[in-house]
Structures are given as structure tokens and as C-alpha cells.
Amino acid sequence: MSPRGPLWRAALFGAFALGMLLLGSWLLFGRGPLPIQTDLLAMLPATERHPLAEAAVDQLAHANGDRMVLVVADADDDKAKAAARALGEALTGQHVFASVTAELPPFDLDQFIAPYLPYRFSLLSDADRTALAQPGYAAGQTLARRLNEPFLAGIGTRVQDDPFGWLQHWLDQQPWSRSPLVPEDDLLTAHRDGLTYVMVIAALRGSSYDDGVQREALAVLDRAWQDVGHDHPGTQLLRTGTVFYAAAARAGAERDVHVVGLASTLGIALLLLWTFRSPRPLLVAFLSTAVGVISALTVTLLVFGQIHLLTLVFGAALLGEAVDYSIQYLCARANMGRHWRPQDGVRQVRPALLLALGTSLLGYLLLGLVPFPALRQMACFAMVGMLVACLSVFWLLPALSVPPTGKPLSPSLVAMARGWQRRMMRLSQGRAGLAMLALAAAVALPGWWRLGHDDDIHLLIATPADLAQQEARIRDITGIGNGSQFYLVTGDTPEATLQHEEALAQRLQALVARQQLDSWTGVASMVPSAQRQAQNRAALAPLFAPGAALEETLLKAGIKASVAQAYVTAWPGQVLKISDWLSMPLSLPFRYLWMNQHDHSYASIVLPQGQDDVAVLRGAADGLAEVSLVDKPASVSALFGRYRQYASLWLLAALVLVGAAFAWRYGRGAVRVLTPPLLGIGLSLAALGYLGQPLTLFHWMALMLVLGVGANYAVFLREGEPHTAHLPGASYASVLLSAVTALLSFGLLGLSTMPALQHFGITLLLGIGITALFAPVSLPASETYP
Amino acid sequence: MRCLIATLLCLLAGVLHAQEADLLHQVLAELAAHPQVRADFTQSRENPALAQPQQSQGQLVFVSGHGMLWQVTQPYRETLALTGARTARIDEQGQLQVIRNGDRGVAQVSQMLQSMLTGQPEEALRQFTVEAHGSPSRWTLRFSPRQERMARVLSAIELSGDRYLQGIDVEMQGGERTVIRFSGTRDAGTLSPLEARALGMP
């Protein structure tokens, strides 16, 4: 090979790295908003078997998610209303809000009634339909009661339009009649416990997860409320909406990226400086890692179009593993002293690095097989990062580390490593080794015994308590449901869908009667099925039959002849169709409950209110055709549980694969090389048991990494030892160096605000720490120290 | 009760002339002095859809803080229990049958009137401006809706009386007019078990 070869390769690699940097920057900053995803749901796979259910989850998230629900509260009624008005004015006209609803537009009560008049004979409350079906229904008495109601009769529907009050009874059941919020002084108001609550809704122009929208909306709200609060001291503001949760999650993740990224960078820098006692290795190591991380970022953006914040946090931690390759190379350089030739160094570390890279890629590949978008991203990120970092050692680093160094590894580190290595090896030979193994198992056993698991998604996503509390209060005051559990009712035609929903409504009504449910909101209560409407007309038909003398009943009760005639002539009116309803302005707030994906595929969403026990809700849907309870958190939890079980099997499979690779290279020695990672995994599990941490999917994912990284250490040591025979302990010192850098990065994830990452970090901290301590066990028995 | 009246007066201080506030105070105090009242009523209603006015009569029992029983004897027999937001019918077997629960919108007027008469005037004062006329021995309170939405439907409610409430007049924008007159007003004495149960009393 010509001496120019390595230089050429380095130049080409440098150009590649620069290209990656430019492409990555363009992908990240050159295309409008930052392509960083903070939606936790977006990181999860589809959980519902019915494709419409996923669409329904999205539709609900959009209807409820891209808006702020604000509630102004004060004991003084006027003050609460004035503050709400001022807040509404301050938010209106801000670009970030598409619309702000504080003061209601002027409208006529007639608008609630007139659209239904053509359909009045098809719309009956359940109670009226039942009563009408009784033999001997006394229409005259119903009429007299309505006309002589105490205090007021002409409220709601007019007597001439609805003398018997049937339409009024049906309208009384409509969602806007049941809302705890009533229009008062043109504001949506509720009175509770001596406080006046006024609702203000601000719809965002854009997604709650859009970084720009989030920042601006929160800033505008804070400014507005500061002014309003100043003018109305003591007034409270309750807020809820996806945007607040998303902002909290983003702030937490950003903090994590900063803390983990900065702390691990600083820690690793100090450690490298101390070990190599020269700045060049530090710069070389960071360059290699940076090229790896930048390439990983760029490729991930190319493949996925956007990058999840979780991946970024994980990426910050990955620094610690990517830096291992350059550390091995630099240690070789330090150990060779004045005999150093860059290409010799490459030749010396190549087998160890390739074996290590192979096991790492294997580990991440297994991670990538999990159909979690977020995990796939992490796996892609890690595989590209590790591969490029490793290649940089072969192709870029030789050109950057040409001169030999006169400074060997920090002697104190080497001495420490040698001391521990001796002790470990002495203990691991023959009977002592078996006794040690038995002791470790005895210590671990009670820990294993205590291991449990918990897949509840709520344990994995930290919700700020303050936000959850405000949301609960707002739900309580406004009657808005929680939105994470709902019924999905499907059908081939609108009619079939509505009929299925009516079957569900019957069950829900029974729950309400047993006080197990407050209420529900669904399309069928606003547009009964054609079948139900026909039943309603059938119930009325005998009264309107030619010989039934309804007109006489009306006249006898004192109704004017012209009014009576007009009423009787209006029979039978029209059937209310879903298309009629959709075109009414009144339906606007409820249209998202109706879905029509294509011909022969219709669905409606039914939102239950006032029951958080999923078992009760699920029971109501039991055995009903085309009705299912969609419970996203529970589906996700179940999915996590399933993958947790798979993950434990995968770990076993990976162990077998890695074991096979070792057996191919080391023959019978493979058992020794495999022992440190095995001990790392086993003892970490025991420690988690003692800590009382229930296992989640994330613990198992971390254990997979422990296997990958732990195997690397054993390999580095086993492969490196023959080359450093003149410097006992130097090889183990380089492994310890790798381990500490990994602990500095992965271990810091234990400080994460996200429980999922925290679990991940703690497990890695334990696993890598233990594996590194036991790594000397992997050395062949013949090299026993006296 | 005194506490409620004090609150009421504070709320009204800015709206009413001192004299009117004084009269309202006296009227409410006098009404509150009879926490359990029984009276006979006649209700007459005119409505544009009606050729002649509707007439009904019966007996009213109202209990401060609990609600009222509206017992119609003519032209049909029916007992309604009006308690807060709930309206229930008591059938021949003495069973309560809820007709309406938690009415919203303009139907609140009826609820407001009930709570006004049963000694809970805050709701009424949020929704209405009050004018007081006359003297404590012969007074009129006129309630006009403050909410424009409601003013489009309801013109005014007028209460009149002396020691007791003697009349309620309700005028609607659509031309409906309801006149209720009370007579033989007296302290209710002991309520029957059915009456007490219907009003949710222990």
C-alpha cells in the first residue's frame, strides 16, 4: 500500500464527514420549523386493531388537543367575568391563536329550536316514546299540564309549535342543554362552592407539538395573564390543554439533553485529559465521536423525516459508547510509546473493534426489530453512530495521530487497574471461582425473588402533578370528558352506525340510572337512527290518525283553531338525516364525533363522562356488535407488557448469538469471556429487585445494551492483553476508561425527568459498572498472576 | 338566612337607591320570617296560541331552603315538587318521578324564581335587576333580565305582597302572560311525611 493511501482515505473520510455536517444542518435548520417531535404518542406504534380507532384517537387529539382551555375563577362574580373578558380581549388578535372564545356571539334562542321544527314528529325523548306507547295515553292531560305549568310555559319551544312539549323534552337532552356551563353575561359560566368560573377557549393556529406555536402561545398567555392578574388581584387562572403538557415534556427533555450531554462531555473530557495527559487524544476522540453523532443525526433525519426528542436524549448518552473505539486506539498508541506507527495501531485494534462493533450492531438491530417508531429511531441512530465512529478509527484517526507520544497512560490508573485485575483473576480461578459464582448467586437470589413488573404507561410518562390537578378541576367544573377513553361505534352505513350507537346508549342509560356514569355525548342522541325516528313517528301516529280527533283535543284545551290546524297539518314532517345535522351550525362543536373515511366505513365516537373505572365502561360495550371501548393508555400499557416479555426472550436469544460468536473465536474460553456480561445482567436484575423497582420494557432494553457493551469490554480485554504484555494492567485500564465514559453518559440518564429514560439509565449504570468490575474474569486461566 | 340577606344587600348597594334597598331588605326579612308557608293559588295564563286563558288552581307549600310543592287540583290533579334544579312529579302511589333535572338556558328562570322564593336570592340577582316599589305593608318587586339573551324571551317578573307574598306576574316577550294569586296564606304547620319526603327533608 502506498504511504499516500491512509492520507487519501482520511481526506475522503473528512469530506464525507463535512458532507454529513452540511446535509444534517440543512435537514435540521434549512426546512422551516425544527423537525423535532415531542409528541409522546407519536413514538408509540398503532395499538388498535381497527384502523378507524387510530384515526379516531387522532381526531380526538386534534379536536381537544390543539386548544387551550382556560378557566378564570373568583369568589366575586363581577371580577371573575371582567377578568375573563380582559383575558379574552388580550388573547384575541394574537397571531398564534386561530380563534378565542370568551364572549359568545349574540345569538337567538330560536337558533336552538327552529332548525328542528321540520323534524319535530321524528324526535322524541325515551320517556315520551314509552309513555305514548302505553294504552290509553291521555294527550289531553299532557296538553293541560304543559299549558298550566307553574310560572312559565312558553319557554323553549313555543306553544303553537310544540303544544305537548315533546320536542322540548327531546331538546332538554341535547348536550348544550346539559352542560354545567351556562351563558351568563355572554360568557360561559359555572357557579360552584361560592366561586364563579368563567371559561375561555383559545384554539391554536397549528399543532400543540409545534415548537414555535408552543413557545409563542405560552408567552402570549403569560403576558396576557400578568396584565389581567395585575388589574384583578386574587383572581385564579386554571389551564389545561395538550400544549401545556407538551411544553412541560419538552422542557424536561431539553433539560435532559443539556444535563446529560454537557455533563457527560465535560466528564469524559476531564477523564481523557487525566488519562492521556495531552490534549491531542482528547480532540481526536471527540472528533471521532462527533462525526459519528452527526452522521447518526443526519441519517435518522433522512430516514424518518424528523427526530424524536427521546432519540436526541438517547443520542446524547450514546456519546459514551461511540467514544470507546477511539479510546482503544489511543490507548494502543500510548502503550506503544516510541515504536508507534499509525497503521500498526489500526492492525492491532481492528479485530477487537470489529468484534465489538459486530456485537453492538447485533444488539441495536434487535432493538430496531421492535415495532416502536421511537425505538427504531434510536436503533437507527445508534447503528449509524457506532459504525461511523468505528470507521473513523480505521480511516480518519491514523492521519491525525501520526507522531508517537512520549506519554504513556496515567500510571496511577494503570496501577489501579493492575491491582484489581490481579485480585479478580486470583478469585476467579478453579474452586475459588466457582465459590465466588455460588456466592454471587446466593446474594442475588432474594433480589430475583422480589422482582416484579409493571407496564402502566402512566408510570413511564411523568405528568406534572400541578397540570394534572388543574385538568381534574377543569373537568369537574366544565364536564368535559377525559378524552383518553371513548367508545368507537362503526357501521357500513350511517344508519347501521347510528343503530349500533343506540344499542350502546341503552346500556349507558342503565349505568346513569345506577349512578355509575354522569352522562355521555354521542351523535345518535343528536341524530337518532331512521329506525328510531320511524318508531317515534309510529308512537305518535295513532294520535294523528284521521279519526283520532287530535285537533278537537287541542281546541278543547283552548288552543286557537288556526294554531291547532297548522299543527295537525304539519304531521308527519321530515326525517332528520346525518347530512342535515352536519349542515346545521349547531352541530359544529360536535362534528368531530362523526367519521366517514370512505363509502361503507362510518364511525361515531361516544364520550362517556364521570366514570374513570375502565372495567365499568368496558362492561357496557360487552357483547355489542361494532362497539368497542378504545382505551389508549391501557392499549399502550398492554403493548409494553407484551414487548417486555418478548424483550426477555430476545435477551436470551442475543446471549446465544453472542455466545456462538465467542465460541467461534475463543473455543472453550468463550465461557470466561461471556461471564462478565452475564454477571452484569444477573446482578443488575438482583439489585433492581432489592431496590423494589418493578421491571418495565425499558429495563430490558437497557439489559440488552449491557450485554452489547459488556461483551465489548470482555473482548477488548481479551484481545488487548497479548499486545500489552510489557505493561500489565494497561489493557484493563483502557477497558475501565471505556466503562467510566459509558457510565458518565448512560448513567447520567438516571437523572432524567422521564421515568422511562431514568429506568434505562439506572439499569445501565448497574449493568455496565458490574460488568466492568468483573471484566478481568474473561482472561484465559493460563495468564494467572502469581 | 340573615347572612344571605346581608350578601344580597351588599350586592344591591350600588344598584338600588337607599330607599329601595331598604324596602327590599324589609320585604325579604318579612318573607324569611315565615320559613314554612301554605297557600291556595290560582294561576291564569294568556298565550298567543290560546283562544282563552288557561286557569288552574291548587295549593302551594313552600319551605325555605328546600323548595316547593305545587299541588294542582283543578282542572286536573297533579303534584310537582320543585327543588333547586329538579322538578319531580309525585304520582298516585306517592312515588317521585323526576321530570327534569339540571335545566339550562332560559328554563333557569323557573329555577331562579324558586330559589328566590325559598330564600336564595344570589342567583336571581345575578340574572336580574330589581326595582322595589311601595311600602312594607304593600310592596312590589320588579325583576328585569340583565342578560340580553334572556331579555329577548322574558320581559319581567313582578312579585307583590304584604306580610306574605300575594302575587306573581310573569310577562314573556312572545305575548305570554301568567298571573298567579295567592290567598289564605298561613304557616304550614307540620308537613305530612309525603310532603317532607318530596322536598327532600329529613
Side-chain angles (χ1 to χ4, degrees), chain A residues 555-604:
Chain A
L555 291 175
K556 223 168 84 189
I559 303 275
K560 281 180 187 161
S562 57
V563 171
Q565 202 192 358
Y567 183 69
V568 173
T569 325
W571 166 266
Q574 299 170 26
V575 175
L576 178 63
K577 289 194 291 288
I578 194 88
S579 52
D580 301 325
W581 178 73
L582 288 172
S583 60
M584 287 183 191
L586 256 178
S587 71
L588 187 65
F590 306 102
R591 278 179 206 162
Y592 72 95
L593 298 174
W594 183 255
M595 302 172 70
N596 174 13
Q597 282 216 321
H598 49 81
D599 285 351
H600 311 303
S601 173
Y602 296 85
S604 73

Side-chain angles (χ1 to χ4, degrees), chain A residues 641-710:
Chain A
R642 228 166 32 244
Y643 283 115
R644 179 181 48 72
Q645 284 168 344
Y646 293 159
S648 47
L649 292 177
W650 278 331
L651 188 66
L652 213 63
L655 263 173
V656 171
L657 276 178
V658 172
F662 285 176
W664 163 74
R665 174 119 184 127
Y666 304 115
R668 288 189 59 193
V671 178
R672 286 196 156 271
V673 188
L674 207 53
T675 304
L678 262 181
L679 279 172
I681 292 169
L683 294 179
S684 308
L685 278 172
L688 289 172
Y690 281 120
L691 286 173
Q693 265 205 18
L695 294 185
T696 65
L697 174 62
F698 293 88
H699 288 111
W700 287 101
M701 277 163 45
L703 288 175
M704 286 176 167
L705 282 184
V706 169
L707 175 63
V709 176

Side-chain angles (χ1 to χ4, degrees), chain A residues 198-458:
Chain A
V198 187
M199 184 157 90
V200 176
I201 289 181
L204 298 172
R205 195 186 300 278
S207 163
S208 282
Y209 296 106
D210 184 315
D211 185 37
V213 171
Q214 229 174 62
R215 281 177 212 278
E216 201 186 330
L218 294 188
V220 166
L221 176 65
D222 279 345
R223 262 202 314 276
W225 185 246
Q226 217 166 25
D227 293 346
V228 175
H230 183 261
D231 295 341
H232 305 84
T235 304
Q236 260 187 301
L237 179 69
L238 300 173
R239 52 195 100 188
T240 192
T242 310
V243 66
F244 298 107
Y245 287 103
R250 176 185 290 268
E254 275 173 0
R255 191 192 133 259
D256 288 355
V257 172
H258 291 152
V259 169
V260 176
L262 263 179
S264 64
T265 308
L266 268 178
I268 293 171
L270 287 175
L271 190 70
L272 293 183
L273 267 181
W274 173 67
T275 318
F276 293 108
R277 296 175 296 164
S278 147
R280 185 195 283 258
L282 172 68
L283 293 177
V284 168
F286 271 112
L287 187 65
S288 156
T289 314
V291 173
V293 169
I294 288 168
S295 308
L297 190 68
T298 307
V299 172
T300 308
L301 279 172
L302 272 179
V303 172
F304 294 92
Q306 57 179 11
I307 191 158
H308 200 281
L309 253 185
L310 265 180
T311 314
L312 272 189
V313 176
F314 178 79
L318 195 75
L319 287 169
E321 204 184 336
V323 80
D324 282 359
Y325 301 120
S326 36
I327 287 178
Q328 290 304 312
Y329 184 69
L330 292 165
C331 283
R333 173 168 175 259
N335 293 336
M336 278 193 203
R338 275 176 296 114
H339 307 295
W340 168 256
R341 280 196 1 231
Q343 286 310 312
D344 288 350
V346 170
R347 264 189 294 281
Q348 183 192 320
V349 298
R350 188 181 286 144
L353 258 51
L354 283 179
L355 191 58
L357 178 70
T359 50
S360 286
L361 290 184
L362 210 62
Y364 287 115
L365 194 67
L366 284 179
L367 195 66
L369 290 177
V370 184
F372 265 59
L375 294 192
R376 289 216 159 136
Q377 254 192 26
M378 287 184 197
C380 165
F381 192 98
M383 284 165 66
V384 174
M386 306 305 285
L387 185 68
V388 172
C390 188
L391 291 179
S392 77
V393 172
F394 298 154
W395 293 340
L396 182 65
L397 263 52
L400 299 176
S401 347
V402 176
T405 173
K407 292 173 182 158
L409 288 185
S410 159
S412 52
L413 176 70
V414 177
M416 200 171 67
R418 191 177 59 224
W420 179 257
Q421 185 175 348
R422 276 189 186 163
R423 201 163 312 152
M424 218 53 229
M425 293 188 67
R426 243 198 325 271
L427 280 173
S428 69
Q429 302 304 322
R431 284 195 183 169
L434 288 177
M436 280 298 291
L437 218 53
L439 184 69
V443 168
L445 209 58
W448 292 338
W449 186 254
R450 285 176 195 216
L451 276 178
H453 55 82
D454 194 338
D455 305 307
D456 191 349
I457 178 77
H458 297 109

Side-chain angles (χ1 to χ4, degrees), chain A residues 77 107-109 145 147-155 177 179 182 184-186 191 557-560, chain B residues 43 45 47-51 54 70 76 78 89 100 104 106 113 126-127 147 149 152-153 170 176 178:
Chain A
D77 187 61
F107 62 83
D108 229 310
L109 280 156
R145 279 176 173 161
L147 294 177
N148 288 293
E149 261 185 307
F151 310 122
L152 314 143
I155 244 175
S177 308
S179 163
V182 292
E184 215 179 84
D185 294 318
D186 288 335
H191 300 280
I559 303 275
K560 281 180 187 161
Chain B
Q43 174 175 289
R45 170 165 296 144
N47 185 293
L50 291 171
Q54 288 284 324
W70 184 266
Y76 54 91
E78 179 184 47
R89 176 178 297 142
R100 248 178 259 149
R104 298 295 164 209
V106 194
L113 203 56
R126 235 179 346 247
Q127 307 283 0
Q147 317 286 341
R149 209 177 306 283
R152 288 192 198 181
V153 180
V170 183
E176 181 181 297
T178 304

Side-chain angles (χ1 to χ4, degrees), chain B residues 91-108:
Chain B
D91 64 19
E92 280 101 53
Q93 286 81 42
Q95 295 300 309
L96 278 177
Q97 194 192 337
V98 176
I99 310 177
R100 248 178 259 149
N101 206 348
D103 269 348
R104 298 295 164 209
V106 194
Q108 270 184 308

